Amino acid sequence: AKAEVASKRQQALMDLLGSGDSPLRGDAFGFRGAGLYGNTISEHKRSAATNPMNKLVLHVHASSNNTILSLTDANGRVIVNSSGGSVGFKKAQRAGFEAAYQATASIVNTVIEKNISVPRIELRLKGFGAGRDASFKAITGLTNWNVCRIVDTTPIPFNGCRPKKARRL
């Protein structure tokens, strides 16, 4: 009797997964359509790439050690990302102007390879590293993308946490 109840539960679960009402994005049957939580991530990437009305956002995190770039759609889903370290720079060179410039060029090349149309782009700059200027100059110099907005998203505390003890040399 217990085995019969367990098999009925398992059958009900399999019926749910096999139907179009699955809350999961992908299941055992290879279901890739829209579940209760929306489309799959790969469909979002395709829709961002094919819909020319979408504005893409280039997030530039320019720290003192590295510059990390992420090209996302308007909803924040990452399409392409790159960094100073991923383009071949090691240690302290990752934080430099040239590393950020080449990381941005890498993103531009990937976008061209994937045939993603970029009618408008928004730059979101975060941090005070050398990558801020480098990424902007690379976008304006290497592409003809329309930069519609430049936003500084650097977190600035309004006297929040106590800072670390000052280093004395």
Side-chain angles (χ1 to χ4, degrees), residues 117-167:
S117 65
V118 184
R120 298 182 307 145
I121 192 163
E122 175 182 330
L123 280 175
R124 291 191 186 169
L125 306 171
K126 184 179 194 179
F128 298 110
R132 292 169 64 99
D133 299 332
S135 61
F136 178 70
K137 288 183 180 180
I139 289 293
T140 55
L142 298 174
T143 66
N144 57 356
W145 296 346
N146 181 17
V147 178
C148 63
R149 182 185 292 173
I150 300 173
V151 182
D152 186 18
T153 59
T154 305
I156 299 173
F158 293 93
N159 285 343
C161 299
R162 182 182 173 119
K164 289 177 72 174
K165 181 175 70 171
R167 201 176 138 203

Side-chain angles (χ1 to χ4, degrees), residues 8-30:
K8 284 184 182 179
R9 284 185 186 160
Q10 189 176 8
Q11 185 62 37
L13 178 64
M14 292 302 211
D15 290 341
L16 175 66
L17 289 175
S19 69
D21 300 329
S22 173
L24 305 174
R25 291 197 173 125
D27 57 28
F29 295 99

Side-chain angles (χ1 to χ4, degrees), residues 10-102:
Q10 189 176 8
Q11 185 62 37
L13 178 64
M14 292 302 211
D15 290 341
L16 175 66
L17 289 175
S19 69
D21 300 329
S22 173
L24 305 174
R25 291 197 173 125
D27 57 28
F29 295 99
F31 172 73
R32 300 291 296 170
L36 295 178
Y37 301 121
N39 295 337
T40 62
I41 294 172
S42 61
E43 288 174 6
H44 284 300
K45 284 185 182 178
R46 262 186 259 124
S47 67
T50 57
N51 188 355
M53 295 307 292
N54 279 351
K55 165 180 71 172
L56 298 180
V57 182
L58 181 67
H59 297 270
V60 179
H61 181 79
S63 70
S64 58
N65 296 320
N66 200 355
T67 301
I68 301 170
L69 301 144
S70 298
L71 184 69
T72 66
D73 62 0
N75 295 326
R77 294 183 191 92
V78 177
I79 299 169
V80 182
N81 60 0
S82 183
S83 68
S86 68
V87 293
F89 289 89
K90 303 285 185 192
K91 302 281 182 176
Q93 296 173 347
R94 291 179 300 203
F97 184 94
E98 185 63 27
Y101 193 92
Q102 288 189 19

